[in-house]
Amino acid sequence: MATLVNRSGRPDWSIDQDWAAYSKEEHGIWRTLFARQAKLLRDRAAPEFLDGVARLGVAADGIPDFRRLNDVLGRATGFQIVAVPGLVPDDIFFEHLAHRRFPSTCFIRTNEQLDYIEEPDVFHDIFGHVPLLVNPVFADYMEAYGKGGLKALKQGALHQLARLYWYTVEFGLIATKAGLRIYGSGIVSSKGESVYCLDHAGPNRLGFDLLRVMRTKYRIDAFQETYFVIDSFAQLFDATLADFTPYYEALAKLPELEAGAVLPTDRVIHRGAGKKRRGITRNPAVA
Ligand code: HBI
Ligand code: FE
């Protein structure tokens, strides 16, 4: 990660959201993004995500006031949003999660960046991440991830653990009776990838397997070549209960896997046609 400068002046990098300072135009950008994602996600997102959106009342009117979201979130799972100026160092990020605090940026992308933005903004962080923090099992998973992150830093295994975050929290799919659904925040906050990840023949869709995921490289500059599918949030949480130390030792002896790889041991839900991916160059991670 590039060197980050603490513009907050506080050791936890937190700032005040200063909700009153948002302009009409900024609220308008939120409304535009919200309206189009709400429509796209109605029958694409996980029911738990849609439920979280409804309960939080993150809605059509504009950029939400974190204080209001925190009332709902605090009652639901005890999680709290803390405002930060942008990307924060890994240890600060994990420290917040481990204490059930989610660091969120405050700024919103410009009109020119509606479909593509490099860094996370408030739409990605709040619309993408916060609805699932209303879900008790997912909230526990995020806390466990933060604690695991602090340990991984000491063990030099951040690289492996970051892939777990990427392929679940950011780009995860979940199997439901009605079919595959999206829960990853990088997908729900991206117009293009919300459609691509479910409807396109290009990418692989593979059953989630913890060690397999932690071996798999990922792309931050294009739609994913592989999506990992969980059966439930409980499966995800249970997979992270164990101490990862022996996993990291095992992983050190195994080769890394390319983002598009399919192994004989994979549970293949859909084998990607690959190809036809030319022309997709937008960064979906946070757009
Ligand atoms: N900071 N604000 C912010 N948001 C993130 O998602 C984030 C971060 N710092 C570090 C980080 N993510 C990564 O360490 C993990 O996702 C692995
Ligand atoms: Fe994110």
Side-chain angles (χ1 to χ4, degrees):
M1 186 184 276
T3 310
L4 298 171
V5 179
N6 185 354
R7 285 180 277 135
S8 119
R10 299 181 196 155
D12 69 354
W13 291 58
S14 67
I15 58 171
D16 293 315
Q17 181 191 15
D18 197 6
W19 184 78
Y22 289 115
S23 67
K24 258 195 193 146
E25 289 71 27
E26 288 173 318
H27 285 298
I29 290 169
W30 173 283
R31 283 198 297 275
T32 302
L33 291 166
F34 183 90
R36 68 184 201 184
Q37 286 314 103
K39 190 160 170 247
L40 273 175
L41 294 173
R42 212 168 292 148
D43 49 1
R44 287 189 169 87
E48 293 88 346
F49 174 85
L50 296 172
D51 184 53
V53 172
R55 284 177 61 188
L56 284 166
V58 280
D61 22 316
I63 301 168
D65 187 332
F66 293 175
R67 289 169 296 196
R68 195 182 56 69
L69 297 182
N70 277 339
D71 284 343
V72 183
L73 196 52
R75 279 197 302 274
T77 60
F79 246 91
Q80 292 288 280
I81 301 157
V82 290
V84 292
L87 284 173
V88 300
D90 297 325
D91 60 328
I92 302 289
F93 184 67
F94 295 140
E95 194 70 48
H96 280 302
L97 292 183
H99 292 91
R100 290 174 97 83
R101 295 187 300 262
F102 184 78
S104 171
T105 51
C106 306
F107 76 96
I108 193 145
R109 65 195 74 183
T110 64
N111 256 317
E112 291 70 44
Q113 295 170 319
L114 278 192
D115 297 328
Y116 167 77
I117 176 172
E118 229 162 85
E119 284 208 16
D121 73 339
V122 69
F123 185 72
H124 169 80
D125 282 335
I126 297 298
F127 180 82
H129 284 281
V130 176
L132 277 180
L133 295 174
V134 172
N135 180 280
V137 181
F138 195 85
D140 286 350
Y141 174 67
M142 290 293 271
E143 177 189 340
Y145 182 84
K147 289 177 172 156
L150 292 170
K151 269 210 258 178
L153 278 178
K154 290 188 201 123
Q155 297 173 325
L158 180 63
H159 206 56
Q160 284 79 2
L161 193 72
R163 289 172 178 160
L164 175 63
Y165 192 85
W166 188 265
Y167 280 118
T168 61
V169 177
E170 294 287 347
F171 290 98
L173 298 182
I174 185 165
T176 76
K177 285 196 186 102
L180 298 185
R181 292 291 184 269
I182 303 161
Y183 73 90
S185 56
I187 309 177
V188 293
S189 57
S190 161
K191 181 180 166 228
E193 198 151 6
S194 293
V195 175
Y196 180 80
C197 71
L198 294 180
D199 298 359
H200 210 278
N204 300 311
R205 300 178 188 94
L206 307 177
F208 174 83
D209 177 280
L210 179 65
L211 286 166
R212 163 63 160 101
V213 166
M214 289 200 288
R215 287 172 66 190
T216 311
K217 296 190 220 173
Y218 57 81
R219 305 193 47 162
I220 61 165
D221 62 339
F223 294 160
Q224 300 306 301
E225 292 177 44
T226 298
Y227 299 94
F228 290 97
V229 180
I230 59 169
D231 295 317
S232 65
F233 293 120
Q235 175 199 18
L236 197 52
F237 179 72
D238 291 348
T240 56
L241 277 178
D243 176 12
F244 279 24
T245 312
Y247 299 159
Y248 296 144
E249 284 162 9
L251 288 169
K253 294 180 200 127
L254 292 167
E256 301 189 312
L257 299 169
E258 293 305 320
V262 178
L263 305 182
T265 45
D266 286 334
R267 185 162 62 84
V268 179
I269 296 159
H270 170 83
R271 182 182 288 264
K275 304 258 181 325
K276 275 206 172 176
R277 298 186 58 265
R278 272 173 302 130
I280 297 166
T281 52
R282 286 170 299 165
N283 178 353
V286 291

